[in-house]
Amino acid sequence: MCTHTHADADYHQTSGQHNHAGFPPAGHSHSPARHAHPARRDFLKSLIAGPLAGAAVLELAQHRAAWARAMAVSASAQLFDIEKAAENVYLARARAQAEINSNAAVFVNARDVLVVDAHSKPSAAASLIAQIAKEVTPKPVRYVVNSHFHWDHTQGNHAYRAAESKIDFIASNATRKLMTELSQQRLKESLEQAPKQIAALEARAAKASSAAEKDFCKEQIRQIKAYQSEMQRFDLELPTITFDDSYVVKDQEHELHLEFHGHAHTAGDVVVYCPQRRVIATGDMIHGFLPYIFDGFPKSWPRTIDSVAQRDFDHVLPGHGPLHVSKQPMTNMRNYIEELTMRVERGKKAGKSVAEMQKTITVASLKSLASNGYAKFLSDNLYKFEPHFGPPDPLQDGVNTNISEVFKNLDRV
Ligand SMILES: [Zn+2]
Ligand SMILES: [Zn+2]
């Protein structure tokens, strides 16, 4: 494994020599073009060999069985819809799951593949690896870019390590630092949430007015439990190639420019820009939901998007939600962050509390939401990409969360 740290722009030629190791997920047949690598064949065994090595035999067997069940169910379920965005460029749209998965952008190079983002768990990444082989190309995945440190974009990394004979994880230096500091903690928090989510769903199932609603609750509980048992064991895969501002993967097919444009959704977001195909993958800096600002920089974020907007592209492959076929959704998101930040700043200076502002900063009062059908776009995406039975959560709930996040992070630059 090579580890490079580059202080500045770097030019990298993809190497063409790979002994591809196809990881056959449980319950899946894989393309004949993909050959299993003997050293990596027993994925489950290798995953269980570490921290649980000292556990009692019975406990180990139970854990292994739970893991195998989780992997088998997730890997055999289709978790993504793969859509072509341009020649050799695909968006794998994550379907609604109780534990959210990120989308992935898939760039098919001359001899290998670069994937942007790795979802919330290895079994989801394993499912995508199989789907890419089936629907897109038998070429091996050689690079995974982690657009930022969040768990729903990085926790699946290990599936690529297990499946591929040669793999590098690429991210900004800031993302590597944040993953090192926060990944274990964020995983722990997501696992601590699980029993509360399950209890709420059980209570809802008990009061459900239809069999369909009961089934919905049961399926959500199943997904959360599968996540719990799979993630009891976590192998943190840190970026092996990192950079400050930019890193270029030069390939015969196209160039992929990995670029950091400034603080936005996190301190380390990068975009992957392909000038030849006029596409850009943006992680959560630009996507189809309301922004998540908990780790964000509300004052810098619009400027960072302005910098990204200088690039020449027709399609945005976002971290969540549908493919953007124009720059409009990006502009809408930028304007919303700017308007909301301005209003929260004004309120904070006037001594208003978060609760007070949540009463006055309404969906209807935000011009950026009313313009260009942005509120409808967001509501449609909640409906399509978040699990729900009956109507999804109202948009105002998300705006209220954003108000408290901006309030907390106003001074971050
Ligand atoms: Zn995300
Ligand atoms: Zn994120």
Side-chain angles (χ1 to χ4, degrees), residues 148 150 152-153 265 284 292:
H148 63 292
H150 282 155
D152 59 319
H153 297 251
H265 171 68
D284 290 356
Y292 177 66

Side-chain angles (χ1 to χ4, degrees), residues 24-45:
H28 249 269
S29 62
H30 61 112
S31 151
R34 298 164 68 81
H35 304 289
H37 189 291
R40 294 172 188 273
R41 191 169 285 143
D42 196 345
F43 182 42
L44 290 174
K45 204 162 145 193

